[in-house]
Amino acid sequence: MIRIAIANQKGGVGKTTTAINLATALAASGWRCVLVDLDPQGNASTGLGLKQAERVHSSYDLLLGDASLKDAAIPTMIPNLDIVPATVDLSGAEIELVEYEDRTGRLKAAFDKSDTHWDICLIDCPPSLGLLTINSLVAVDSILVPLQCEFFALEGLSQLLQTVERIQKRFNPNLAIMGVALTMYDRRNRLTDQVADDVRSCLGALVFETVIPRNVRLSEAPSHGLPALVYDHRCSGSEAYMNLARELIGRMPTRELAA
């Protein structure tokens, strides 16, 4: 199972929107996908139409070892796509994890114990560099970074890259950055182009060619409990995420799909 964390400690950059729609696009392409909602806000769970009463087990139970990945995963309305939802319990997980000796490797241990029912796992990380995000980076093969096309996002990116280096040195030497996805791209704004140019000149081929535009439909879809690709598959945001999924598949290591 290929494991990818969708992470950026800056809030409002499109992590959850990216996680939901990439997972949907991959599932539509035939990949058996599980999305782990590791954000205490639980927006990925809500954005896929999951009600609180349906969240019997959660990523909190997964971290604390009270449920396996298979037991915590719930089928969504999207064929081939399951989700491990988040509940409010997750907001206190960082404090509880401090008491564990292996507090940075809890999620990896849960994944290592799971079977290969899925081809790919995406993790929607919280907007911080705390223990939840660190657990994600220790557990995955690679990281996808959504980056808002604004100046302050560049500062956040440098902090994230430093964190990735520390994780590589101490916990996960195989961790790699799969790519940076430029989000909230507005062609009418010159700053958008300047930020995009700066990121591409700095990171080169790590930056995906596809950019995710500012799009009303992307913002509307979660309120209906639907991915944008289902809510309006013809809008510019949906088309962009389909293109991003194709690029992502092209960068994935060659592996046999789950039996």
Side-chain angles (χ1 to χ4, degrees):
M1 181 173 69
I2 299 171
R3 309 169 188 174
I4 302 173
I6 299 176
N8 188 329
Q9 79 276 15
K10 189 176 185 302
V13 299
K15 286 189 299 295
T16 299
T17 300
T18 298
I20 291 173
N21 288 290
L22 268 184
T24 301
L26 290 168
S29 300
W31 292 70
R32 278 179 282 188
C33 185
V34 59
L35 173 59
V36 178
D37 187 353
L38 210 62
D39 187 342
Q41 298 176 84
N43 290 337
S45 306
T46 303
L48 282 170
L50 211 65
K51 298 178 181 178
Q52 289 291 338
E54 298 177 274
R55 307 178 193 186
V56 179
H57 295 297
S58 69
S59 52
Y60 171 83
D61 300 311
L62 189 64
L63 276 169
L64 268 64
D66 296 331
S68 66
L69 181 60
K70 187 175 182 179
D71 291 337
I74 300 172
T76 69
M77 68 187 77
I78 311 298
N80 291 326
L81 176 57
D82 298 334
I83 184 170
V84 177
T87 60
V88 292
D89 294 333
L90 197 59
S91 59
E94 297 214 12
I95 297 174
E96 295 182 50
L97 285 172
V98 171
E99 300 177 359
Y100 290 86
E101 185 176 346
D102 59 339
R103 55 185 174 271
T104 60
R106 302 291 299 180
L107 191 59
K108 182 180 187 300
F111 283 162
D112 290 345
K113 291 176 184 176
S114 68
D115 57 23
T116 55
H117 179 72
W118 298 277
D119 303 316
I120 185 168
C121 173
L122 299 181
I123 304 176
D124 183 27
C125 297
S128 70
L129 291 177
L131 272 175
L132 293 179
T133 298
I134 290 174
N135 260 271
S136 297
L137 299 185
V138 171
V140 299
D141 308 300
S142 52
I143 175 174
L144 187 154
V145 184
L147 185 70
Q148 186 179 4
C149 292
E150 292 186 0
F151 174 74
F152 288 125
L154 293 175
E155 290 187 338
L157 178 62
S158 64
Q159 294 173 7
L160 180 63
L161 294 177
Q162 290 171 9
T163 300
V164 169
E165 288 181 5
R166 288 196 290 268
I167 296 293
Q168 288 171 329
K169 291 177 181 178
R170 295 188 59 186
F171 305 112
N172 186 1
N174 297 319
L175 179 64
I177 298 177
M178 181 166 281
V180 175
L182 298 174
T183 62
M184 302 180 187
Y185 191 88
D186 187 350
R187 298 185 185 280
R188 299 169 299 178
N189 189 336
R190 288 186 61 189
L191 178 60
T192 293
D193 288 325
Q194 291 174 1
V195 171
D197 290 343
D198 287 346
V199 175
R200 291 189 189 280
S201 64
C202 178
L203 298 178
L206 275 180
V207 185
F208 289 101
E209 288 296 323
T210 301
V211 296
I212 309 301
R214 284 193 178 275
N215 182 245
V216 174
R217 293 301 204 187
L218 289 178
S219 302
E220 290 176 349
S223 65
H224 296 272
L226 295 170
L229 272 73
V230 175
Y231 181 64
D232 184 355
H233 70 278
R234 295 183 177 178
C235 73
S236 60
S238 294
E239 291 177 353
Y241 274 116
M242 284 299 294
N243 291 333
L244 182 61
R246 293 187 189 99
E247 278 197 74
L248 185 66
I249 291 171
R251 295 190 184 195
M252 286 183 191
T254 302
R255 295 189 181 184
E256 291 186 3
L257 300 186

